[in-house]
Amino acid sequence: MNKLLKSKGFQNASASILSIIFGFVFGFIVLLISNPANAVGGFLTILSGGFTGGMKGLGQTLYLATPIIMTGLSVGFAFKTGLFNIGASGQFIIGAFTAVFIAVKATFIPTEILWLVALTGAFVAGGLWALVPGFLKAYRNVNEVIASIMMNYIGMYLVNFMVVKTVFDAARNQSMTPTRAIIPKVGLDTLFNGSNVNLGIIIAILVAIIAYIVLEKTTFGYELKACGYNRSASQYAGMNSKRNILLSMVIAGAFAGLGGGLLYLAGSGKHIQVVDILAAEGFNGIPVALLGLSNPIGIIFAAIFVAYINVGGFYMQLYKFVPEVISIMVAAIIYLSAFSLFFREQISAFFKKRTEGK
Amino acid sequence: MDTIYFVFQNSLLFTVPLVVVALGGMFSERSGIVNIALEGIMVIGAFFSIFFIKTFQGSIPPQLLFILAMFIAIIVGVLFSLLHAYASINMKANQTISGTALNLFAPAFAVYTARMVQGVSQIDFENNFRIPKVPLLGDIPVIGNLIFQNVYITTYIGIGILVVASIILYKTRFGLRLRACGEHPQAADSAGINVIKMRYTGVMLSGALAGLGGLIFVVPISTNFSGSVLGYGFLALAVLIFGQWKPSRILFAAFFFGMMKTIASTSTIIPFLADLSLDPAIYKITPYLATLIVLAFSSKNSAAPRAAGEPYDAGKR
């Protein structure tokens, strides 16, 4: 028991859970201030989240979790290798566009495998988009945060431009609907009747597991992490740190790109809107990665958690609350998880004291 | 000639807030704290001050109302930035994460509060702050047309801030100390400078300027606010880097970006650009692409404050 309490994993997880609890308390206070009469009802709706709508609500939770598992993985994988990928938004939308483009234009590919080709395209495109900040970081010493922010905006404007030029539905000012390359439902739609869940969630979870194996069980993953911990030391140990930084970024980008493909081929009627707004899914990957402690398995749960409270936020409108309160809560949770170093120190000091006291 | 005046006047509307916010970022980063929360601070500043304008419009003369709103934006910006300062200075938090949290919080808060208070997220106001022509000065040939006609009071305030900021940074004891904390806080500490205090001041200055920037970005180009400043906080960050953390270059970079923005939205009505018939997307992408290119060639010996982004650890002396 003591060993478990002192283990790093436990302390990390309890820091996350502590942040979540404080975040919920903060959210409740916001509800109390804005509408005391309905605050309790609204708050319980957030808590019951994905369960609110029965099987449909659960299915929606999984559907909403799919893209943010991928962007969370993108951010988390980069974190593990010492990089902050704030560019998941750009990589996501580039992936989304590539998937939609292939789905609409590649009429020569048989329908049965078209969705697979389109998803592969999204994966590759996201990776290529991240190649730019990766290259600049590795070879030109450019801060990847700034480079990724620039790439976000370039990606957004470029996708808007390309949508208008290639797959445009002018009447609705959005991209066309890819009808031929919808990801199979594999029976999930009957299980979770009325929701948009599909094979995508299983793909996302599989990718997360692969990411976990690569990071934790292979030499390649070890090298990537080593370069993140200490670039000079790994260089000295004979690793090609430049190549590793580049690859870390590309893999991270590919995850986000695939996330874009998974969302826009879900057959839920999502279109790429031609508006000058960055894709929110990319930024939502950041809290997911932080809550999941950048561990791919943790990220699966974190993404489902964030999706779960978002479904709760949707149903909370019954109590005349605005769903943005969920974003406020998530922001509070991230803000607190930025303190995680402090929390961890406190928690480990607490347990240390307890064991010493005996 | 009219086209030139038109482009210049419009560019100013974009340039001035960019300069102000980028200067805010400069104070923060020069003190050693990376502040990617500029975007969120702009949103919060704009939200409260525009709500104030909406509430008191009609009962207070426009220019006075505008100036009062600026004070509100500044105060709110400072208060909000304290969250970032506390996390990154006292709690030694990852500054990018803390900034991201603020960026997420601000628009959600603005939309939530607006919808809870007035039902819709959009706050409408009447834009009666434009000065068609400054008396006397507006009649000066050329210069009068450029900066004393169709202008907002914010242009002059922005110029004032630029001048004052340069003087503070380079000519005062405070500026020297602030820069020292961004370059080598341990050495600054040894010399008796209170690093914590300096960094708090830097972040609070960035909060003040970003809050103000939010208001003066929204007012001239719009008649409503709905919880977004369209990525201008991030653009200001690009301006800061493009400007190599120096006030004079920040002005140059901001003007370049401002002009590109103007051209992007007006290229079809400017005769000589309409002939080129380039897609507006090209002008929209240019500032970001230019920043990337500049970064690629300048980052080997970057002018970035050396200690920016690192929590101060007195034990490392």
Side-chain angles (χ1 to χ4, degrees), chain B residues 54-297:
Chain B
K54 183 195 155 100
T55 313
F56 289 97
Q57 201 147 41
S59 46
I60 301 178
Q63 296 302 336
L64 178 64
L65 178 68
F66 197 19
I67 290 174
L68 288 177
M70 286 184 210
F71 278 108
I72 289 181
I74 290 173
I75 292 165
V76 174
V78 169
L79 291 177
F80 193 53
S81 71
L82 281 175
L83 285 172
H84 184 55
Y86 178 72
S88 42
I89 300 169
N90 298 67
M91 304 298 267
K92 300 195 186 342
N94 181 323
Q95 294 165 15
T96 315
I97 296 176
S98 155
T100 305
L102 263 60
N103 283 338
L104 272 176
F105 178 84
F109 175 83
V111 172
Y112 180 83
T113 314
R115 282 182 66 180
M116 288 311 273
V117 173
Q118 55 169 31
V120 289
S121 60
Q122 186 168 309
I123 306 171
D124 293 309
F125 61 92
E126 195 193 331
N127 184 352
N128 50 5
F129 308 110
R130 194 166 63 97
I131 306 169
K133 194 172 176 187
V134 177
L136 290 175
L137 294 171
D139 293 325
I140 304 171
V142 186
I143 296 176
N145 286 314
L146 287 176
I147 55 172
F148 293 111
Q149 286 183 15
N150 288 328
V151 72
Y152 287 82
I153 194 167
T154 53
T155 300
Y156 311 119
I157 293 175
I159 295 170
I161 289 175
L162 179 72
V163 172
V164 173
S166 325
I167 294 173
I168 288 180
L169 193 67
Y170 290 119
K171 304 285 178 199
T172 65
R173 199 163 60 174
F174 167 76
L176 182 66
R177 292 182 169 181
L178 188 83
R179 284 183 286 147
C181 290
E183 293 296 333
H184 202 312
Q186 286 82 4
D189 197 359
S190 315
I193 299 170
N194 186 339
V195 177
I196 310 255
K197 210 170 106 188
M198 287 318 249
R199 289 195 162 179
Y200 258 96
T201 318
V203 176
M204 284 161 74
L205 279 172
S206 79
L209 293 179
L212 175 66
L215 172 66
I216 67 178
F217 166 66
V218 175
V219 164
I221 61 161
S222 178
T223 55
N224 63 65
F225 176 72
S226 45
S228 164
V229 292
L230 309 172
Y232 264 69
F234 288 119
L235 195 62
L237 212 57
V239 166
L240 173 64
I241 297 161
F242 200 87
Q244 296 287 296
W245 294 265
K246 294 186 180 71
S248 56
R249 291 204 194 178
I250 285 174
L251 174 66
F252 167 77
F255 190 74
F256 170 66
F257 283 27
M259 208 162 71
M260 279 298 163
K261 278 279 169 189
T262 307
I263 291 174
S265 50
T266 57
S267 66
T268 46
I269 53 169
I270 301 171
F272 128 85
L273 290 170
D275 291 343
L276 288 176
S277 70
L278 294 171
D279 195 279
I282 292 167
Y283 303 111
K284 285 183 185 168
I285 288 175
T286 306
Y288 302 99
L289 202 59
T291 307
L292 269 187
I293 293 169
V294 167
L295 280 173
F297 288 102

Side-chain angles (χ1 to χ4, degrees), chain A residues 173-205:
Chain A
N173 194 34
Q174 63 189 20
S175 67
M176 291 177 198
T177 320
T179 44
R180 277 184 65 236
I182 302 302
I183 302 167
K185 302 274 187 203
V186 295
L188 288 169
D189 52 339
T190 41
L191 181 59
F192 300 102
N193 201 0
S195 74
N196 291 315
V197 67
N198 57 64
L199 184 64
I201 181 70
I202 296 170
I203 297 176
I205 291 174

